[in-house]
Amino acid sequence: MLKTRLAGALALTTLAMPLAFTAPAASAAPVEISFARFFGACEGDYGTSTDVPAARGECGIITTLINKFNADNKGEIVVKPQIMEWNTYYDQLTARIVGHDVPTVAVMHMAQLGDYVNRKVVLPLNDLFKEAGIDAGDFTDAATNGVTVNGKIYALPWDTHSWLWHYNVGLMKKAGLTDADGNPVVPKSLDELKAQAKKFKEATGKPLIAISTTQDVAGPARNFYTLLYQQGGTVFPDGPDGDANFSSPEAKKALQVWADLYKDGDLTPALDYEGATAGFINGNAGVYICGTWLIDSYMEAAAKKDTGLSDGYYVTAFPTLLGKPAIWADGHSWVLLKGGLNDDNKAATLKFLKYLYDNNLQWARTGHLSIRKSVIDSAAFQDLPFRKNIKIISEVARTLPAGTPRQFGIQQIVGEEFDNVMLTGKSVDDALADMQGRVNELVSAAR
Amino acid sequence: MAFADLSRSRPVRAAGIARPSWSNLLFVLPFLLLYAGLLVYPLFQGMWMSLHDYDLLSGESEFLGLANFIKLFRNSIFLGTVRNTLWFVAMTTPAFVVLGLALALALNRASRTGAVLRFIFFGSSVLSVTIVTLVWRMVLRPDKGLIANVLEWFGLPPVPFLIDVHLALPSIAGVTVWWIVGLPMMLFLAALQQIPQEIYEAAKLDNAGWWRTLFSITLPSIKRTVILVAVIEIVLQFQLFGQAQIMTQGGPNNSSRPIVLFIYESGFRDWRLGYAAAAAQILFFLMLVAASLQLWLGRRRQGGEA
């Protein structure tokens, strides 16, 4: 009985094999492009939607952009998103590269690019851009610097993102902190901010500023960097190959300002990123310090009834509190990894990159700054809400020195020590000393 | 003739016993190959790697000798993770033994209630670490967390379980015990059901009380299982990772970072595979010592009583 079944199964397999080999050739399967990204998953809202202009937020816009590309190229190209959690994205991407399971196109922060390029796993794109019809001359200076390593371009820039103050206009008005136009009064100095915080607390019983200090290292590090840069300070005074220095008076002041605000009850206590982001919609503070990517989502929340933002939303670039204007910035970009591109998918991949380049304005609707000069100068971009308030970023954006290795590892250490000062009462001096020791230990081991 | 045949066959049989038949090796070969390929080789490769500066992404390596170990013993973050891990094992292992046994004793009955409660207590063990920790984060968070809301109802301030240096690791320990106390409970239940009922009946006839029965019959009968549970839990809890990564990311101030999280961060975030492998060797050594000590103590006690 068993023998008969086995023989039958074998016969079926033998019959099916030629079919299996001939089937794809007969129907010319579309070229598949695997597309590794974060930005969240939102199939529930945008599963099959191709209406890009109607999409909101990072996830909605990138999802509909891909849906549209797939619909326009039906039968020829199919882009398959591989969505990962951003916290562990680079760990997973690295593991995939080492395991030779390489996506065709992958998102990468400009701050991370140098480490991957130095290990020769990212393809240079200068020639491929020419082939695809992408004009690198149209990239903004910030974008060009962000994707250029040793004179070659290694990524298609996608945005410049930076650090903003998102305002709850209703609460600011209640505290008497709005101007004649009904917009929040943006502080021009630290003293003015402290006076505002006092007034805000008396009127609303809430802290003026929401920041995340728990389970989040990126936001805290950006807060620290911004105040450091505003004083003209730097972490690597001797350039990317030198030692890190966190013992400067500027570094001390940058951390001390946040510690004092926290101690005085002017910062929300103990919120993680999700708690702070959602809490702001519920009206937990007058200002939420976070990134460009939230503008569109908060405008959507403000347009709804019965949210904490229903009485108005406003946003501006991180104000200059110490010295001169300077704000932390980074950028998203798309890279082609070695092993992901081959003769079969090259044309389709270049077509896809060109499509992303052409649709950069759509992505800029999230709140990020466009990476194309022509888009930034266009009426369509300038008509987007609040863009006048954040346009300054392209002039005052600051990053760690180009070529600094392990920038996300450094961010992890700076953010952790920042949180320690807020949450555990660790002294500013101890935290800075630990930042210095830990960062130098990390970069000394980097090649 | 028959006698001669018999005498001839004897030496043949004797030789068969004395000389090992190598063809028998074929039966264990599949296991041996897997064991050597998946356990022995990686173990020694890890040891070899720990002596190198090995970059995860480029694959380049350079022989360093013991430099990685020297660096680790000078790294206050790593020393903190060793302290945290030992403290975590010290908190959880006794809890697993005592609570697992207590639950098993309470639920070792044939009633329907016993079966339902056994199912409930074991139920949490089938959940993944992600689900358990996300649920508990919602319970423990000081803003709008379940416990914070209950405390607020009584007019009390919220307790910052996961962001206080003294509470973060004990909170993770509590969640871990809640999560997987079902396994030791099941092991103890299996052991309890092996004890012959006659002994309990005899004890009853002798008017032995509950405590007396517990200490003179039950515990001595399941001593081996107690040792088994303790060793299993020591080995498991030394490998704390997911709960700490999701609930606290090792914070605040390194108070809840276990060795495995340090290994993960060094290897995958910082791409320092040799350094991570060196930390893994130290973890391996600690686990070996702790589990051996527990086994040795168990055997010594058994030997003393025999």
Side-chain angles (χ1 to χ4, degrees):
Chain A
M1 181 67 184
L2 185 68
K3 268 185 188 168
T4 329
R5 275 195 194 157
L6 268 175
L10 270 173
L12 271 176
T13 317
T14 322
L15 277 173
M17 271 170 81
L19 284 176
F21 283 118
T22 51
S27 63
V31 179
E32 203 175 294
I33 297 174
S34 52
F35 180 59
R37 68 164 178 88
F38 37 79
F39 304 127
C42 47
E43 282 85 2
D45 294 326
Y46 297 100
T48 53
S49 169
T50 54
D51 188 0
V52 180
R56 307 291 297 262
E58 281 185 317
C59 187
I61 293 174
I62 192 73
T63 304
T64 48
L65 272 174
I66 303 307
N67 289 345
K68 176 96 172 34
F69 182 82
N70 282 340
D72 291 349
N73 295 280
K74 205 172 180 183
E76 289 169 32
I77 308 172
V78 56
V79 174
K80 293 207 163 165
Q82 298 169 334
I83 302 165
M84 299 178 223
E85 178 72 25
W86 105 265
N87 271 335
T88 53
Y89 173 78
Y90 290 103
D91 300 347
Q92 291 190 49
L93 185 70
T94 306
R96 290 186 63 182
I97 295 169
V98 174
H100 303 293
D101 171 28
V102 180
T104 322
V105 180
V107 66
M108 188 167 283
H109 284 90
M110 294 175 187
Q112 287 282 75
L113 188 64
D115 276 342
Y116 284 85
V117 171
N118 288 339
R119 280 159 186 77
K120 301 181 179 66
V121 293
V122 183
L123 295 174
L125 298 178
N126 298 59
D127 296 339
L128 291 173
F129 277 172
K130 274 178 205 150
E131 216 173 303
I134 293 170
D135 177 16
D138 195 28
F139 294 161
T140 61
D141 292 347
T144 307
N145 291 338
V147 296
T148 307
V149 183
N150 302 328
K152 276 187 189 169
I153 294 178
Y154 281 91
L156 172 67
W158 185 229
D159 62 54
T160 297
H161 53 256
S162 189
W163 218 219
L164 309 178
W165 282 31
H166 302 268
Y167 275 101
N168 182 321
V169 176
L171 285 176
M172 292 300 282
K173 199 171 189 177
K174 194 174 167 189
L177 293 170
T178 45
D179 61 17
D181 297 334
N183 292 330
V185 179
V186 180
K188 292 186 180 66
S189 68
L190 186 59
D191 289 337
E192 195 183 338
L193 171 69
K194 285 186 172 169
Q196 282 192 353
K198 191 164 174 270
K199 208 172 163 192
F200 188 87
K201 206 191 298 164
E202 282 165 3
T204 64
K206 296 176 182 187
L208 174 65
I209 299 171
I211 61 168
S212 54
T213 48
T214 308
Q215 292 242 37
D216 182 23
V217 292
R222 292 159 187 168
N223 290 331
F224 172 79
Y225 286 145
T226 298
L227 290 193
L228 177 71
Y229 297 150
Q230 289 193 351
Q231 302 169 78
T234 175
V235 175
F236 291 94
D238 302 325
D241 299 327
D243 278 350
N245 182 2
F246 287 90
S247 59
S248 65
E250 292 86 9
K252 183 163 182 175
K253 174 108 185 182
L255 192 52
Q256 191 67 54
V257 166
W258 294 110
D260 291 345
L261 286 170
Y262 195 83
K263 210 169 103 197
D264 295 344
D266 296 328
L267 300 179
T268 48
L271 288 178
D272 57 15
Y273 178 81
E274 289 79 14
T277 305
F280 181 67
I281 296 180
N282 297 327
N284 69 346
V287 180
Y288 177 35
I289 303 180
C290 202
T292 39
W293 51 90
L294 289 173
I295 294 179
D296 197 39
S297 305
Y298 281 155
M299 286 187 57
E300 197 180 0
K304 286 180 187 161
K305 277 181 190 170
D306 301 329
T307 71
L309 288 177
S310 299
D311 292 334
Y313 164 72
Y314 184 85
V315 64
T316 187
F318 196 111
T320 306
L321 300 176
L322 304 171
K324 57 184 183 187
I327 309 173
W328 162 90
D330 194 355
H332 295 121
S333 65
W334 303 110
V335 293
L336 304 184
L337 296 161
K338 255 183 201 164
L341 195 71
N342 53 45
D343 291 342
D344 295 334
N345 66 16
K346 189 178 164 190
T349 305
L350 294 185
K351 188 174 184 186
F352 178 54
L353 287 186
K354 176 75 167 47
Y355 170 80
L356 291 173
Y357 172 79
D358 288 342
N359 283 283
N360 196 247
L361 172 68
Q362 291 299 335
W363 184 247
R365 290 199 297 108
T366 56
H368 293 308
L369 288 171
S370 171
I371 50 82
R372 293 183 59 178
K373 289 179 205 159
S374 58
V375 171
I376 288 189
D377 292 339
S378 70
F381 179 80
Q382 288 180 3
D383 287 348
L384 290 170
F386 304 118
R387 290 317 188 270
K388 277 179 198 140
N389 296 354
I390 64 169
K391 212 183 157 192
I392 186 181
I393 288 166
S394 54
E395 293 151 38
V396 302
R398 290 286 305 273
T399 60
L400 288 179
T404 305
R406 300 288 195 276
Q407 294 194 26
F408 273 29
I410 295 171
Q411 173 179 278
Q412 170 94 23
I413 292 168
V414 171
E416 257 184 42
E417 294 299 341
F418 182 105
D419 289 351
N420 290 342
V421 172
M422 307 298 138
L423 299 176
T424 72
K426 187 172 184 173
S427 77
V428 166
D429 287 334
D430 286 352
L432 289 169
D434 283 350
M435 278 185 202
Q436 180 151 324
R438 293 175 67 188
V439 169
N440 280 331
E441 204 273 332
L442 178 68
V443 293
S444 70
R447 282 152 200 280
Chain B
M1 189 63 186
F3 181 72
D5 281 345
L6 192 63
S7 66
R8 213 180 296 143
S9 68
R10 252 184 205 159
V12 174
R13 209 181 291 161
I17 292 166
R19 201 175 53 224
S21 171
W22 289 105
S23 60
N24 291 344
L25 187 66
L26 280 176
F27 291 100
V28 288
L29 198 62
F31 166 77
L32 277 181
L33 282 178
L34 282 177
Y35 186 75
L38 297 178
L39 270 161
V40 180
Y41 172 69
L43 183 73
F44 284 99
Q45 201 198 17
M47 287 176 185
W48 183 239
M49 225 176 310
S50 70
L51 305 176
H52 290 75
D53 174 15
Y54 192 115
D55 187 275
L56 171 69
L57 200 50
S58 69
E60 289 168 13
S61 72
E62 184 189 339
F63 187 77
L64 289 180
L66 294 173
N68 280 332
F69 292 93
I70 294 166
K71 261 190 199 168
L72 280 173
F73 284 114
R74 285 183 185 154
N75 184 335
S76 61
I77 298 291
F78 175 72
L79 295 178
T81 66
V82 174
R83 201 172 46 239
N84 293 339
T85 309
L86 290 172
W87 176 222
F88 182 78
V89 173
M91 277 191 287
T92 50
T93 305
F96 277 120
V97 173
V98 173
L99 268 179
L101 183 60
L103 283 173
L105 286 170
L107 304 178
N108 185 23
R109 60 189 69 184
S111 68
R112 181 175 290 182
T113 324
V116 170
L117 288 175
R118 278 199 298 273
F119 172 77
I120 290 173
F121 280 108
F122 191 71
S124 60
S125 304
V126 302
L127 298 174
S128 78
V129 63
T130 323
I131 294 170
V132 169
T133 48
L134 286 179
V135 168
W136 274 96
R137 258 182 75 183
M138 283 189 249
V139 172
L140 297 173
R141 59 187 307 159
D143 62 306
K144 316 278 181 215
L146 178 69
I147 294 177
N149 282 344
V150 172
L151 289 173
E152 195 184 356
W153 196 57
F154 287 106
L156 295 167
V159 181
F161 290 101
L162 298 177
I163 51 173
D164 183 289
V165 275
H166 303 293
L167 294 178
L169 197 61
S171 301
I172 295 174
V175 171
T176 307
V177 171
W178 176 90
W179 176 32
I180 43 173
V181 74
L183 177 70
M185 178 191 79
M186 282 303 191
L187 290 171
F188 281 126
L189 273 170
L192 288 176
Q193 283 164 14
Q194 299 290 318
I195 306 172
Q197 280 305 307
E198 294 82 4
I199 308 179
Y200 285 112
E201 279 163 23
K204 231 177 227 172
L205 288 175
D206 289 342
N207 272 336
W210 191 86
W211 288 106
R212 178 74 198 215
T213 314
L214 176 71
F215 283 107
S216 300
I217 298 172
T218 311
L219 288 184
S221 309
I222 60 166
K223 206 169 0 178
R224 278 170 177 279
T225 310
V226 174
I227 295 168
L228 174 78
V229 167
V231 172
I232 287 179
E233 292 305 334
I234 285 173
V235 170
L236 278 179
Q237 301 318 321
F238 259 109
Q239 299 174 59
L240 166 68
F241 173 65
Q243 302 96 296
Q245 197 207 20
I246 300 174
M247 291 174 79
T248 62
Q249 290 181 356
N253 208 12
N254 202 36
S255 64
S256 65
R257 181 176 277 114
I259 301 178
V260 182
L261 184 56
F262 180 90
I263 295 171
Y264 173 80
E265 288 173 346
S266 300
F268 286 93
R269 189 196 65 203
D270 303 337
W271 303 344
R272 299 165 74 180
L273 224 47
Y275 199 50
Q281 302 315 310
I282 293 172
L283 174 65
F284 176 65
F285 176 75
L286 286 173
M287 282 162 69
L288 200 67
V289 168
S292 310
L293 194 69
Q294 180 64 31
L295 272 175
W296 178 70
L297 278 174
R299 286 223 182 101
R300 205 180 61 149
R301 214 173 295 149
Q302 269 182 326
E305 280 171 20

